């Protein structure tokens, strides 16, 4: 897929846009004033594969906490600011790496100028974040509700305020809980600006609905070459968002995963407890250390598709009636009773890890 080459911005140590790999973001749901809990969650996000983290800044105490958090965070920290330009100035002083701020919402022009003066001095990028659920009243009246055209007009208005002050280190997002609306808005803005786009379906919901909405919304745009950074929004622990984001990128060939599990959905031909086998293999694979070479494992339920899929994997098993085949690089290496299949496959995986673990 051909990606549009957007203007790059630097968020701490991470480059967004300019043809660099898609960046995964998330947002803490801890009280930012609770420094210990917030840092613990940031570390968990980093271990899961998150690359940039955003924090809500509700008051001056939260802004003060950003100094220690930014200094100790393993990820670049973005301060999420709404309405109060003073919190933005405090956040910048505390060493944050990026702002999420809509300049049209912070009041008089001189307040915008104060913020621009602060971020320009430290070369801190600003993300303009338009949300269909909080579109300006006049735009809702003009367009008869939240529309893609209204969202784009809102974003361009915020962009213009910063450009008029000579600042262009920007990222832009146009999020909606409606996937069709979100898709239309991003496609429209993509045609008229060169700033990096941050993709997301906001208020996507719980795992059940949120994963589907995010995969379709974010995945569709990425497949069209649109987007530079993504956030999968799911209700609850933000760490759960990261594997979903990674999977979206992997499926589209935009991120290579070190471990991949292939397993069939099961059908009437399946005569082994494949669901249990697959879950146990998946659990072990999730615990593997970083590898210097990708590992593909197949867990298949019958002899129809099983051997073919297993041949494409580094290691695999294909079940039969109380028995199964163990494959290595497409070759059958053993015919085993069902109860021995899991142990044999895990042993092969362990040997692979010993030879391919990143030092």
């Amino acid at each position: 897929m051909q990606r549009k080459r957007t203007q790059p911005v630097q968020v701490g140590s991470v480059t967004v846009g300019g043809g660099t790999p898609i960046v995964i973001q998330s947002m803490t749901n801890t009280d930012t004033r609770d420094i210990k809990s917030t840092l613990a969650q940031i570390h968990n996000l980093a271990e899961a594969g998150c690359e940039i983290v955003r924090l809500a800044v509700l008051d001056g105490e939260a802004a003060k906490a950003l100094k220690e958090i930014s200094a100790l965070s393993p990820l670049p920290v973005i301060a999420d600011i709404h309405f109060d330009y003073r919190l933005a100035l405090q956040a910048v002083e505390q060493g944050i790496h990026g702002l999420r701020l809509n300049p049209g919402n912070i009041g008089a022009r001189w307040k915008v100028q104060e913020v621009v003066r602060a971020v320009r001095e430290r070369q801190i990028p600003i993300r303009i974040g338009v949300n269909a659920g909080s579109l300006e009243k006049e735009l809702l009246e003009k367009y008869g509700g939240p529309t893609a055209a209204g969202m784009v007009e809102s974003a361009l208005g915020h962009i213009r305020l910063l450009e008029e002050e000579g600042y262009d280190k920007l990222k832009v997002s146009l999020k909606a809980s409606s996937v069709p609306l979100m898709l239309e808005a991003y496609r429209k803005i993509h045609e008229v600006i060169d700033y990096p786009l941050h993709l997301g379906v906001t208020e996507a919901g719980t795992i059940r609905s949120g994963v589907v909405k995010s995969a379709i919304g974010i995945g569709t745009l990425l497949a069209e070459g649109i987007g530079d950074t993504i956030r999968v929004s799911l209700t609850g622990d933000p760490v759960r968002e990261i594997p979903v984001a990674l999977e979206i990128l992997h499926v589209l060939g935009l991120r290579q995963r070190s471990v991949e599990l292939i397993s069939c959905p099961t059908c009437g031909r399946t005569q082994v407890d494949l669901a249990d086998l697959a879950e146990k293999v998946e659990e072990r694979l999730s615990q593997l250390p970083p590898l210097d070479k990708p590992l593909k494992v197949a867990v298949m339920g019958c002899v129809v598709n099983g051997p073919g899929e297993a041949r494409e994997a580094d290691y695999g098993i294909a079940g039969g009636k109380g028995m199964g085949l163990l494959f290595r690089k497409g070759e059958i290496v053993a015919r085993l009773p069902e109860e021995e299949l899991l142990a044999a496959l895990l042993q092969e995986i362990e040997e692979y890890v010993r030879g391919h673990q990143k030092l």
Side-chain angles (χ1 to χ4, degrees), residues 199-222:
L199 306 184
V201 180
T202 192
E203 291 104 28
T206 60
I207 285 284
R208 178 177 296 182
S209 61
V211 168
V212 176
K213 279 188 172 184
S214 296
I216 293 174
I218 295 172
T220 297
L221 291 170
L222 291 175

Side-chain angles (χ1 to χ4, degrees), residues 238-259:
V239 176
R240 298 188 303 170
E241 301 172 356
I242 310 306
V244 181
L246 286 166
E247 188 67 16
I248 292 171
L249 296 179
H250 171 74
V251 167
L252 291 169
L254 295 169
R255 182 75 65 97
Q256 188 178 69
R257 192 170 52 190
S258 61
V259 179

Side-chain angles (χ1 to χ4, degrees), residues 257-275:
R257 192 170 52 190
S258 61
V259 179
E260 179 177 4
L261 173 65
I262 301 168
S263 64
C264 68
T266 72
C267 67
R269 292 189 297 268
T270 306
Q271 298 183 73
V272 296
D273 189 354
L274 190 75

Side-chain angles (χ1 to χ4, degrees), residues 151-331:
M151 293 171 69
V152 170
E153 185 172 333
S154 176
L156 293 177
H158 293 301
I159 291 170
R160 185 166 54 252
L161 283 173
L162 294 174
E163 288 182 336
E164 288 174 355
E165 298 301 326
Y167 204 69
D168 64 356
K169 295 190 179 304
L170 310 177
K171 296 180 290 164
V172 180
S173 66
L174 295 90
K175 296 185 180 182
S177 58
S178 163
V179 172
L181 176 57
M182 167 260 198
L183 291 174
E184 185 181 359
Y186 275 109
R187 286 166 177 157
K188 285 181 178 293
I189 199 77
H190 169 74
E191 295 297 324
V192 295
I193 66 171
D194 291 321
Y195 296 118
L197 292 179
H198 170 67
L199 306 184
V201 180
T202 192
E203 291 104 28
T206 60
I207 285 284
R208 178 177 296 182
S209 61
V211 168
V212 176
K213 279 188 172 184
S214 296
I216 293 174
I218 295 172
T220 297
L221 291 170
L222 291 175
E224 295 174 6
I226 299 173
D228 301 279
T229 175
I230 66 174
R231 191 254 173 122
V232 172
S233 298
L234 298 175
T235 302
D237 186 352
V239 176
R240 298 188 303 170
E241 301 172 356
I242 310 306
V244 181
L246 286 166
E247 188 67 16
I248 292 171
L249 296 179
H250 171 74
V251 167
L252 291 169
L254 295 169
R255 182 75 65 97
Q256 188 178 69
R257 192 170 52 190
S258 61
V259 179
E260 179 177 4
L261 173 65
I262 301 168
S263 64
C264 68
T266 72
C267 67
R269 292 189 297 268
T270 306
Q271 298 183 73
V272 296
D273 189 354
L274 190 75
D276 183 63
L277 278 173
E279 287 175 6
K280 287 176 178 175
V281 172
E282 184 175 49
E283 174 63 24
R284 179 64 191 104
L285 294 178
S286 71
Q287 300 169 3
L288 295 183
L291 304 173
D292 62 10
K293 184 180 178 183
L295 170 66
K296 182 182 288 189
V297 177
V299 179
M300 308 304 294
C302 73
V303 295
V304 175
N305 294 320
E309 292 291 348
R311 276 195 296 271
E312 299 301 317
D314 294 290
Y315 303 102
I317 52 176
K321 186 174 182 180
M323 300 289 292
L325 302 176
L326 175 67
F327 290 85
R328 183 192 303 135
K329 303 292 185 182
E331 299 294 330

Side-chain angles (χ1 to χ4, degrees), residues 27-38:
M27 184 175 185
T28 57
N29 63 4
T30 57
D31 185 335
T32 304
R33 295 166 295 192
D34 184 343
I35 296 173
K36 183 178 179 181
S37 295
T38 300

Side-chain angles (χ1 to χ4, degrees), residues 55-163:
L55 280 64
V57 183
L58 302 178
D59 56 24
E61 187 180 348
K64 289 179 182 177
L66 292 174
K67 183 173 185 177
E68 185 173 348
I69 293 170
S70 298
L72 298 177
S73 171
L75 302 176
V77 172
I78 293 177
D80 190 89
I81 308 291
H82 291 275
F83 309 117
D84 193 339
Y85 84 102
R86 293 167 298 182
L87 292 178
L89 296 178
Q90 284 181 265
V92 171
E93 291 173 0
Q94 302 309 313
I96 51 93
H97 307 98
L99 279 178
R100 192 279 197 185
L101 174 84
N102 289 349
N105 295 342
I106 62 174
R109 188 60 171 259
W110 65 266
K111 295 178 180 180
V112 177
Q113 292 169 342
E114 286 290 310
V115 172
V116 169
R117 187 177 298 114
V119 295
R120 178 182 285 120
E121 183 179 330
R122 297 169 175 81
Q123 295 295 286
I124 293 172
I126 294 176
R127 172 162 73 88
I128 291 170
V130 173
N131 192 314
S134 57
L135 209 56
E136 293 94 322
K137 183 180 178 181
E138 59 270 22
L139 291 176
L140 291 173
E141 293 174 351
K142 177 179 178 179
Y143 291 98
T147 65
M151 293 171 69
V152 170
E153 185 172 333
S154 176
L156 293 177
H158 293 301
I159 291 170
R160 185 166 54 252
L161 283 173
L162 294 174
E163 288 182 336

